[in-house]
Amino acid sequence: MSESDTFLREHKDAILAGLELHQASLNARLLAIGPDTPRAKEMFRVLSEADMKITRAIRDLTAMEWPEA
């Protein structure tokens, strides 16, 4: 098992909690975006992409399985 696999295995719950907290923060920002302006549209696009990446990371990390040490 590689060093990064060992780290992920040992800290999986903390990493997931951090990702979920960050995702909640992004969702709050998405809800707070104001008027329909070009800047607001760009912010929404960037935050939406970040949210999708976090969702994918949570899904992938949750699905990972390691042999018992």
Side-chain angles (χ1 to χ4, degrees):
M1 186 178 308
S2 73
E3 203 172 309
S4 61
D5 285 345
T6 301
F7 180 86
L8 284 174
R9 180 178 178 203
E10 291 174 356
H11 302 289
K12 179 179 175 180
D13 292 338
I15 293 168
L16 284 171
L19 286 170
E20 290 166 353
L21 180 63
H22 190 62
Q23 187 173 39
S25 172
L26 282 175
N27 288 334
R29 289 179 186 176
L30 285 169
L31 291 173
I33 291 176
D36 193 19
T37 65
R39 179 162 161 64
K41 287 179 184 177
E42 178 63 12
M43 284 178 59
F44 186 84
R45 184 189 67 74
V46 169
L47 292 174
S48 294
E49 285 179 14
D51 182 63
M52 286 188 295
K53 288 177 182 178
I54 291 172
T55 299
R56 193 173 314 122
I58 290 170
R59 183 195 65 224
D60 292 348
L61 187 57
T62 301
M64 290 178 103
E65 293 183 20
W66 297 276
E68 290 302 317

